[in-house]
Amino acid sequence: MNYSNFSAKVSFWPNMHFTAIEIVHCGDLYEIYATDISRLAKTKLFVGRTHDKNLAYSYAKQFEEWLPKVNREMKMRDIAPLTGNITSQAFIRKRDLEILPSQIDYQRNSNQW
């Protein structure tokens, strides 16, 4: 799986915040999941499977490297509508990237009045 496919799969669930990659051994297969533990329940998103243990761990390592980048891109898409004419590049500072999704919804609702 390339970065574009991984990003599309994870980004399809914008209300989730996947923070880790997990490997589950099921029979002769190794399944790879992105996990979201930011809510009361643990959510798993199936990413892929393979028969080879070493390949599964290799994929998991690559996905763990990509996951923060995908999360930043999703955060930028959430912040961009709030900026008006300002480009989203102005929000690269770490403090601005740590806004929680619930705070973004609150800011959107408060700006409508």
Side-chain angles (χ1 to χ4, degrees):
M1 177 180 299
N2 62 26
Y3 177 77
S4 301
N5 293 342
F6 179 77
S7 176
K9 187 171 277 204
V10 173
S11 298
F12 189 74
W13 304 96
N15 293 329
M16 298 290 151
H17 181 72
F18 298 103
T19 55
I21 300 296
E22 183 177 310
I23 298 174
V24 177
H25 186 225
C26 298
D28 63 341
L29 295 173
Y30 295 88
E31 295 182 342
I32 304 169
Y33 294 90
T35 58
D36 173 10
I37 56 174
S38 62
R39 308 220 179 350
L40 294 176
K42 181 177 180 181
T43 306
K44 290 183 177 181
L45 172 66
F46 176 77
V47 179
R49 74 172 56 98
T50 182
H51 291 282
D52 184 358
K53 180 180 180 179
N54 292 330
L55 188 57
Y57 281 96
S58 175
Y59 284 149
K61 182 179 177 186
Q62 183 64 62
F63 297 157
E64 285 175 348
E65 291 175 11
W66 288 342
L67 195 56
K69 183 178 178 184
V70 172
N71 286 334
R72 279 191 305 273
E73 290 172 355
M74 289 174 60
K75 179 72 75 177
M76 294 304 288
R77 282 193 293 265
D78 285 345
I79 292 174
L82 298 175
T83 64
N85 293 332
I86 302 171
T87 62
S88 60
Q89 293 299 319
F91 287 89
I92 292 182
R93 293 188 319 267
K94 183 179 178 184
R95 181 178 53 90
D96 294 327
L97 292 176
E98 292 175 348
I99 296 172
L100 298 173
S102 61
Q103 291 172 323
I104 291 172
D105 292 337
Y106 175 76
Q107 288 175 359
R108 285 182 184 153
N109 292 336
S110 65
N111 288 338
Q112 291 177 356
W113 302 104

